[in-house]
Structure formats: structure tokens, C-alpha cells
Amino acid sequence: MNIGEAARASGVSAKMVRHYEAIGLVAKAGRAANGYRDYDDADVHVLRFIRRARDLGFSIADIRELLALWSDRSRQSADVKRLALHHVAALEQRIVGLQAMAETLQSLAACCAGDDRPDCPILTELESH
Amino acid sequence: MNIGEAARASGVSAKMVRHYEAIGLVAKAGRAANGYRDYDDADVHVLRFIRRARDLGFSIADIRELLALWSDRSRQSADVKRLALHHVAALEQRIVGLQAMAETLQSLAACCAGDDRPDCPILTELESH
DNA sequence: CTTGACCTTGCCATTATGGGAAGGTGCAAG
DNA sequence: CTTGCACCTTCCCATAATGGCAAGGTCAAG
């Protein structure tokens, strides 16, 4: 399987497949006689795992650990759970930060006439404080 | 006022003050006889505006527009409001994305024993799908 | 043999921020 | 005056994850 097909099958772009290989997240792909990277279903399986983890917001560093645990037959599920919950906490922290921003802006905007006059509490707020 | 003092007064690091000048977000600072950048209260005022806008999650591009509106005496508050609400929408979109991730992970983690056995629904989920 | 789709590597760009090096400046204490 | 420390200057590099482009090799169909 060429890289393009593996990319389509896994949902990871060919560009990123090469990148993941370059940073050592996945093993170096075998090469066909013509020098093209050659993939099999197991490789696609790994790539799909990565893709799914990325979709859940895990960083590459996290995924490196997840992959290690995944391939470790003697892993302890507690380690996976810890990683996941740690990530949940990080996500929730980002969420509250963003919510605070959105709420502040929302309330400022609610006080803004939004017409053709220049007076605007949003700018006033940014200006002061 | 040297850059360090302006940085302390505005809450923007000296590094970023230079950067904002380099990308044309703020006007080139005047220079003292020794070549040091020289700031006054008005400059600090602008920097503080930027800092506050960054705290609300506005991008540099957004801030460029906000600064233009701020200094435009004939601005229409509708333009500011539109910018702000557009940003709120973007924030909320990011929030729902993060919440979806957090909830998915949360429910997967809830199904994970978290003990010394290797079986883990989190890995199973990443693996399948 | 040409054309088009695919592969290769390598470099650059993004966003916002920080780190560090190498060297100049200014002020205070010895 | 010299030493030292804190500050300034510019320039380069790094981050995280991804995309784009360019120059060139490969392969299959027409």
C-alpha cells in the first residue's frame, strides 16, 4: 500500500504520516523497490489510532505514551485512565478559560448599542482596566 | 521610559513589545540618544489595550482591527460589536469542540477499571472506530 | 512517448511566545 | 577609574501541528 492509500484508509494526511515517521511517533515504513513507503493493515491500524487520539485532543507527547501503553501487553489500565483523566482536566481548564472570555465579551457586547455612533463599552473596557 | 518599564506598566513583555513593533501592530517607538526605545504614557496605554484584548482571546489580526476602530473617531459601534460577537461565536465553537472531547473521554474513563489489569475501554475505543 | 497521478525530499509559513547569544549602555560602589 | 550589575540592542532558534510548494523520480494508461 502506498502512502496515499494508507492516508485515505487512516484519515491521516500523507504529509502527517511522513511527519509522524520523522519524529519517531511511528516506526520507519518499509520501502518498496521503487523507494516508495510501503504500508500494511497494521500500519494503518496504528495511524487510525493516532488519528482518533488527535481527534480527542491528545498531544503528540500524550499519544506517544498511549501508543506505548497500547503495545504493552502488561500495561495497567490505571496508567491509561490517569493519562485520560489528566487530559480531561486540561481540557476543562481550557474550557473555563474560554468560557470566561466569551461571557465577558458577551456581556460587553450586550451593552453596546451596535449602531452608527462611536461610543462603545467594548472599547472602553479594553481601554481602561 | 525604557522598554522594560513600559513592559511592566502594560503587562506586555519587552519581547512582545518589540515583536508588536516589528509586525507593525504598534508604531515604531521613538529612540533616545543612546538608541534605546523610548515610551510615554500613551504608548503604554496602547500596549495595555492590546494586552487586555489578548486576554479576551482576540488574535493579532483582530486586535489590528480593534486598534484601528479605537483610534477612529468616526467609527460605528456596530463594527466593534460585530467583531466582538464574531469572536464570541468562534470561542463558543472551540468550547463545544473541547466539551465534546472531554465528555467522550470522561465517559470512556468512567468505564475503565483503572487497576493493574491491562484491559481498558479507552484504548479499545481508540483502536476501533 | 506523453500525460496525469502519484511518490520522494526539502524548505517555508503559520500563531504567539520565549530563550539565548553577543555586544553596547548606564549607574552605583569600590 | 574600574568593576559589576541591570538594562538595552539585534539576530537566530524553538515551540505544536499542519499545510503548501518546488524540483525531480515513477508508474500506468492511452
Side-chain angles (χ1 to χ4, degrees):
Chain A
M1 200 187 315
N2 281 345
I3 197 172
E5 198 177 346
R8 252 165 281 137
S10 65
V12 177
S13 73
K15 198 88 192 201
M16 291 312 297
V17 174
R18 294 193 196 95
H19 180 62
Y20 292 156
E21 177 181 320
I23 65 175
L25 185 66
V26 299
K28 281 186 190 166
R31 297 289 179 138
N34 57 14
Y36 289 10
R37 287 178 182 77
D38 193 24
Y39 298 90
D40 59 21
D41 289 343
D43 297 323
V44 170
H45 197 201
V46 172
L47 290 171
R48 221 176 306 167
F49 181 99
I50 293 171
R51 172 62 206 267
R52 185 91 184 103
R54 290 287 306 133
D55 286 346
L56 288 175
F58 284 104
S59 68
I60 298 294
D62 287 339
I63 296 175
R64 217 178 277 272
E65 294 187 55
L66 287 171
L67 285 170
L69 287 167
W70 188 34
S71 61
D72 178 5
R73 297 266 157 170
S74 66
R75 66 175 168 257
Q76 302 189 356
S77 64
D79 290 334
V80 183
K81 187 168 183 173
R82 195 179 321 115
L83 207 62
L85 289 179
H86 189 267
H87 182 48
V88 168
L91 287 170
E92 282 171 350
Q93 204 163 356
R94 286 171 59 191
I95 289 168
V96 300
L98 295 179
Q99 277 174 337
M101 293 177 189
E103 278 159 30
T104 300
L105 267 173
Q106 191 74 266
S107 64
L108 285 171
C111 298
C112 174
D115 56 17
D116 58 357
R117 288 169 302 170
D119 317 271
C120 174
I122 303 168
L123 291 180
T124 306
E125 161 71 14
L126 287 170
E127 182 177 0
S128 65
H129 208 69
Chain B
M1 201 188 312
N2 282 345
I3 197 172
E5 199 178 346
R8 252 165 280 137
S10 65
V12 177
S13 73
K15 203 86 191 200
M16 292 312 297
V17 173
R18 293 193 196 96
H19 180 62
Y20 292 156
E21 177 181 320
I23 64 176
L25 186 66
V26 299
K28 281 186 191 167
R31 298 288 179 138
N34 57 15
Y36 289 10
R37 286 178 182 77
D38 192 24
Y39 298 91
D40 59 20
D41 290 343
D43 297 322
V44 171
H45 197 201
V46 172
L47 289 171
R48 221 176 307 169
F49 180 100
I50 294 172
R51 171 63 205 267
R52 185 94 184 101
R54 291 286 306 133
D55 286 346
L56 288 174
F58 284 104
S59 69
I60 298 293
D62 287 339
I63 296 176
R64 218 178 276 272
E65 294 188 55
L66 286 171
L67 286 170
L69 287 167
W70 186 34
S71 61
D72 179 5
R73 296 267 156 170
S74 66
R75 67 174 168 258
Q76 302 189 355
S77 64
D79 291 332
V80 183
K81 187 169 183 172
R82 194 179 321 115
L83 207 61
L85 289 180
H86 188 266
H87 182 48
V88 168
L91 287 170
E92 282 171 350
Q93 203 162 357
R94 286 172 59 192
I95 289 169
V96 300
L98 295 178
Q99 277 174 337
M101 293 177 188
E103 278 158 29
T104 300
L105 267 173
Q106 191 74 265
S107 64
L108 285 171
C111 298
C112 174
D115 56 16
D116 56 359
R117 288 170 301 170
D119 317 270
C120 174
I122 303 169
L123 291 180
T124 306
E125 161 70 14
L126 287 171
E127 182 176 1
S128 65
H129 207 68

